[in-house]
């Protein structure tokens, strides 16, 4: 595997819906369920905004940061969607994100799936994935009251329903004429070109193809469905502030540079405040989750005594398979042969493959080569003092004795715990620079020693590497801790799996350094800690 491919951008495989199919779905009504009393009071001068979340935790976190910035700039109340953990989709054009968001009504989905009755909602939320995602309010993990108090932000959390615009049950008095759609990544008329920076054109347009898309010019909805990645348009501060409609519905807010805001003292204070660990940085308000993360931290030797590594095999293997496929194509052309390749990226029903399905297409040798490339990259990125220490021969110690002991090959639970204690002792008594690693990944939650074809190079280079599975095996974490959390009520959902990204972030925030391959927005988030 080429070293440069580890940081390559991966392509999206999610655009499998034909344009005519999406247009048909857009015209279908949304099923209703009973909701709680509405929370917004009718205030003639109050204006609102919301957006459609997508992506992993770090991506959604970035969206909320941008939403807070825009809400402050425009003096609007932010209708804050819930955080979705588990299966999610990447960026998509506004019409698809809208339907994906509207279809997340689990009460309806459960009934539909139990009856084996497919409808438009299950096209976006497949029944087979129903228990692979959950939604939780952001206040579960962050103190939103501090944001409201310190920065005078108005935030209404959505804890039920997935309506928006004139169908938003939190604001029942909004009419269709008072709603404007704004998404510079989907619609050319919603901003100026990134490079030319000409005059933006965000305004109501009566020629919209659908009555709910007031800001979109005729035929732009259909054209947007052909996009594989977001447009590079920019909306400036004066354009955002000039929108008169009472309710702005944004699409994706992940790309912050698409939305330019001022450098006012209020904005500067907000940006600094968002980097404060107690405001909106580390998701540490969920007591039960904090306890799990704290147990892992203490077991690894305490704060700043270990490093964290997070590997996304879904992205890594996707890039590797694409590179292999392109190489085969080039060789076929050179040799004058027909190009044939059986690499798959999705199931027959159109759902994109996850990391496990992609990884299974690599041979054992291919998996070992992949991890060897990862180890080389980690060795180059780690602090120089730790890199030197890890590269030197071990000094006489219990750690050296255990690693050289052939009986250690069986990797029993007891031996693994003895190894950890020896690693901690080596740092204390011999070399404080010697690295201990906490490893997390998106494919395997069981023992990494059961997958030596993949993790072998990591273990060989960094023998003091441990996982959350080890913590459970040593009874450092209660195996049934999720059953004691009142909000985790569905017995068919593996809450531990879905909440793991939050645990890993909390543990990483307590470590000495954090490494992520490939690098995502999470690296920047944790760098502020």
């Amino acid at each position: 595997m080429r070293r440069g491919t580890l940081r390559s951008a991966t392509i999206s495989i999610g655009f499998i819906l034909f344009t005519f199919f999406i247009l048909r779905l857009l015209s279908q009504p949304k099923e209703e369920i009973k909701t709680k009393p509405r929370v917004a009071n009718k205030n003639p001068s109050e204006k609102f905004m919301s957006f459609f979340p997508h992506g992993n935790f770090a991506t959604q976190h970035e969206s909320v940061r941008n939403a807070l910035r825009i809400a402050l700039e425009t003096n609007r109340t932010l209708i804050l969607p819930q955080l979705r953990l588990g299966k999610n989709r990447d960026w998509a054009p506004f019409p698809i994100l809208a339907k994906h968001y509207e279809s997340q009504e689990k009460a309806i989905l459960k009934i539909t799936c139990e009856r084996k009755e497919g409808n438009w909602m299950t096209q976006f939320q497949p029944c087979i994935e129903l228990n692979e995602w959950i939604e939780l309010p952001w206040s579960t993990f962050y103190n939103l009251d501090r944001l409201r108090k310190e920065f005078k932000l108005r935030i209404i959390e959505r804890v039920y329903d997935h309506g928006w615009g004139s169908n938003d049950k939190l604001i029942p008095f909004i009419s269709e004429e008072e709603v404007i759609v704004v998404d510079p990544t989907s619609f050319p008329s919603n901003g100026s070109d990134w490079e030319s920076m000409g005059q933006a054109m965000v305004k109501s347009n009566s020629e919209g193809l659908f009555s709910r898309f007031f800001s979109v010019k005729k035929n732009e909805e259909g054209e947007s469905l052909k996009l594989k990645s977001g447009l590079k348009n920019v909306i400036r501060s004066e354009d955002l502030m000039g929108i008169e409609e009472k309710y702005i519905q944004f699409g994706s807010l992940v790309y912050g540079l698409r939305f330019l805001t001022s450098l006012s003292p209020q904005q500067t204070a907000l940006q600094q405040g968002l980097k404060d660990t107690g405001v909106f940085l580390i998701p540490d308000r969920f007591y039960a989750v904090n306890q799990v993360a704290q147990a892992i931290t203490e077991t690894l030797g305490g704060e700043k005594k270990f490093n964290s590594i997070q590997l996304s095999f879904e992205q890594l293997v996707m890039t590797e398979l694409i590179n292999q496929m392109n190489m085969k194509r080039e060789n076929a052309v050179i040799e004058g042969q027909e190009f044939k390749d059986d690499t798959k990226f999705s199931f027959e029903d159109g759902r994109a493959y996850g990391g496990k399905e992609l990884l299974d297409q690599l041979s054992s040798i291919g998996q070992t080569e992949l991890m060897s490339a990862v180890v080389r990259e980690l060795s180059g990125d780690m602090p120089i003092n730790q890199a030197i220490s890890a590269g030197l021969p071990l000094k006489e110690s219990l750690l050296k004795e255990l690693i050289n002991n052939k009986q250690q090959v069986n990797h029993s639970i007891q031996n693994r715990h003895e190894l950890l204690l020896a690693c901690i002792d080596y740092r204390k008594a011999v070399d404080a620079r010697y690295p201990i690693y906490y490893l997390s990944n998106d494919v395997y939650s069981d023992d990494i020693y059961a997958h030596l074809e993949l993790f072998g190079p990591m273990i060989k280079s960094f023998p003091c590497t441990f996982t959350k599975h080890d913590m459970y095996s040593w009874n450092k974490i209660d195996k049934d801790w999720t059953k004691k959390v009142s909000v985790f009520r569905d017995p068919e959902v593996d809450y531990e799996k879905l909440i793991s990204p939050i645990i890993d972030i909390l543990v990483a925030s307590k470590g000495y350094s954090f490494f992520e391959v490939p690098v995502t927005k999470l690296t920047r988030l944790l760098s502020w800690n």
Side-chain angles (χ1 to χ4, degrees):
M1 176 177 178
R2 300 169 185 169
R3 173 179 170 83
T5 62
L6 288 174
R7 296 189 185 277
S8 299
T10 59
I11 65 171
S12 173
I13 306 299
F15 294 99
I16 56 161
L17 302 176
F18 294 102
T19 299
F20 74 90
F21 175 67
I22 291 295
L23 292 175
R24 178 170 60 84
L25 292 178
L26 287 170
S27 63
Q28 293 178 343
K30 177 173 178 287
E31 299 179 49
E32 299 291 336
I33 61 173
K34 294 181 179 181
T35 59
K36 298 178 182 179
R38 297 156 178 167
V39 299
N41 296 317
K42 190 169 184 177
N43 181 345
S45 62
E46 187 175 14
K47 294 184 176 182
F48 305 88
M49 62 166 281
S50 192
F51 65 95
F52 295 138
H54 62 88
N56 59 22
F57 173 85
T59 300
Q60 293 179 71
H61 186 274
E62 182 78 2
S63 297
V64 177
R65 288 172 54 86
N66 290 325
L68 294 170
R69 176 168 57 89
I70 296 171
L72 178 65
E73 187 83 354
T74 59
N75 190 29
R76 289 178 179 267
T77 299
L78 172 61
I79 307 299
L80 182 60
Q82 295 190 85
L83 166 67
R84 174 161 165 159
L85 297 172
K87 281 280 187 179
N88 210 337
R89 71 161 303 121
D90 294 325
W91 178 89
F94 185 97
I96 296 178
L97 279 186
K99 282 298 179 182
H100 184 270
Y101 184 72
E102 292 174 358
S103 63
Q104 295 180 116
E105 301 288 1
K106 270 211 169 181
I108 295 177
L109 287 168
K110 276 187 171 295
I111 294 175
T112 301
C113 293
E114 287 172 358
R115 294 175 178 175
K116 298 182 179 180
E117 300 173 349
N119 60 18
W120 74 268
M121 297 175 71
T122 58
Q123 297 293 334
F124 291 90
Q125 312 294 339
C127 292
I128 196 172
E129 297 177 353
L130 185 59
N131 295 321
E132 296 182 22
W133 58 272
I134 58 173
E135 289 184 298
L136 292 171
W138 282 92
S139 57
T140 306
F141 303 101
Y142 292 101
N143 185 354
L144 299 186
D145 286 336
R146 281 194 60 184
L147 289 172
R148 296 183 178 100
K149 181 178 180 181
E150 295 182 19
F151 305 105
K152 311 303 181 192
L153 290 165
R154 301 191 304 274
I155 304 171
I156 298 178
E157 278 198 283
R158 189 184 302 285
V159 295
Y160 62 90
D161 187 63
H162 296 83
W164 60 274
S166 59
N167 290 332
D168 195 327
K169 289 182 169 55
L170 294 178
I171 313 170
F173 45 81
I174 296 291
S175 66
E176 288 188 349
E177 290 73 22
E178 295 176 297
V179 179
I180 185 171
V181 165
V182 177
D183 188 350
T185 69
S186 296
F187 308 123
S189 64
N190 280 188
S192 57
D193 182 75
W194 177 274
E195 297 180 355
S196 67
M197 288 297 290
Q199 178 61 41
M201 300 175 61
V202 181
K203 54 186 177 182
S204 298
N205 192 306
S206 59
E207 296 180 353
L209 182 60
F210 298 109
S211 61
R212 296 177 68 183
F213 300 121
F214 296 103
S215 61
V216 182
K217 287 186 174 182
K218 187 176 182 179
N219 295 329
E220 280 192 337
E221 294 89 347
E223 289 299 313
S224 73
L225 297 174
K226 301 176 183 178
L227 296 173
K228 304 299 182 182
S229 59
L231 299 173
K232 295 182 178 180
N233 290 336
V234 178
I235 298 181
R236 297 173 297 189
S237 172
E238 54 266 35
D239 300 311
L240 290 168
M241 296 176 67
I243 297 175
E244 298 179 354
E245 279 77 4
K246 197 174 186 67
Y247 190 115
I248 302 177
Q249 179 61 51
F250 291 99
S252 170
L253 286 185
V254 170
Y255 308 106
L257 292 178
R258 303 291 193 271
F259 305 89
L260 304 183
T261 50
S262 66
L263 298 177
S264 66
Q266 294 83 1
Q267 284 286 359
T268 301
L270 175 62
Q271 294 306 307
Q272 291 298 322
L274 291 177
K275 295 180 182 180
D276 185 330
T277 55
V279 180
F280 197 68
L281 188 55
I282 304 302
D284 58 0
R285 279 179 60 86
F286 200 147
Y287 178 78
V289 177
N290 287 354
Q291 292 298 103
V292 173
Q294 185 60 32
I296 295 173
T297 300
E298 292 175 356
T299 302
L300 292 171
E303 294 188 23
K304 309 304 179 184
K305 303 299 183 182
F306 62 93
N307 303 321
S308 285
I309 300 175
Q310 183 162 311
L311 303 179
S312 173
F313 287 117
E314 181 174 340
Q315 297 181 55
L316 284 169
V317 180
M318 175 80 73
T319 301
E320 179 65 10
L321 290 174
I322 292 172
N323 289 338
Q324 290 184 7
M325 187 170 61
N326 290 336
M327 188 174 297
K328 290 179 183 178
R329 182 182 289 109
E330 292 175 4
N331 291 337
V333 172
I334 294 173
E335 297 172 2
Q337 298 178 354
E338 181 183 358
F339 170 68
K340 294 182 179 180
D341 187 82
D342 57 358
T343 304
K344 296 182 180 180
F345 297 99
S346 61
F347 296 98
E348 292 184 359
D349 61 5
R351 291 179 298 114
Y353 271 181
K356 182 63 169 64
E357 292 78 21
L358 294 171
L359 189 62
D360 286 344
Q361 297 182 81
L362 285 181
S363 65
S364 295
I365 294 176
Q367 293 186 32
T368 300
E369 291 177 346
L370 176 71
M371 184 57 72
S372 296
V374 170
V375 169
R376 288 194 297 270
E377 183 157 338
L378 290 172
S379 299
D381 290 344
M382 65 192 302
I384 186 63
N385 60 338
Q386 292 191 357
I388 293 174
S389 179
L392 292 174
L394 287 171
K395 298 179 181 179
E396 294 301 323
S397 60
L398 176 60
L399 177 59
K400 181 178 180 179
E401 180 181 335
L402 287 177
I403 291 177
N404 292 337
N405 188 347
K406 293 183 179 180
Q407 293 181 356
Q408 185 67 20
V409 176
N410 63 28
H411 310 302
S412 68
I413 293 174
Q414 182 59 36
N415 284 347
R416 295 279 295 141
H417 191 244
E418 290 179 2
L419 177 62
L420 171 61
L421 296 179
C423 293
I424 294 174
D425 182 70
Y426 192 84
R427 280 183 57 92
K428 290 180 179 179
V430 181
D431 187 352
R433 303 168 301 172
Y434 193 77
I436 296 175
Y437 286 107
Y438 174 73
L439 173 66
S440 59
N441 73 91
D442 61 346
V443 171
Y444 293 118
S445 59
D446 58 345
D447 193 349
I448 59 175
Y449 282 85
H451 309 282
L452 290 177
E453 72 284 354
L454 179 61
F455 295 105
M458 174 75 71
I459 296 169
K460 181 178 179 180
S461 298
F462 308 115
C464 292
T465 297
F466 305 94
T467 66
K468 182 147 53 65
H469 176 269
D470 293 323
M471 307 298 159
Y472 280 114
S473 298
W474 302 330
N475 294 319
K476 300 298 182 180
I477 307 173
D478 182 356
K479 293 181 175 63
D480 297 324
W481 72 269
T482 58
K483 297 179 181 179
K484 302 173 183 178
V485 180
S486 59
V487 295
F488 296 159
R489 295 187 291 266
D490 191 337
E492 297 181 359
V493 174
D494 185 351
Y495 289 103
E496 198 281 335
K497 176 182 177 180
L498 299 182
I499 213 75
S500 281
I502 304 297
I503 296 174
D504 294 337
I505 290 173
L506 291 172
V507 174
S509 71
K510 301 296 184 180
Y512 177 75
S513 59
F514 174 72
F515 305 95
E516 183 185 27
V517 183
V519 174
T520 71
K521 296 179 185 298
L522 181 59
T523 293
R524 185 179 68 162
L525 173 64
L526 287 169
S527 71
W528 289 331
N529 180 39

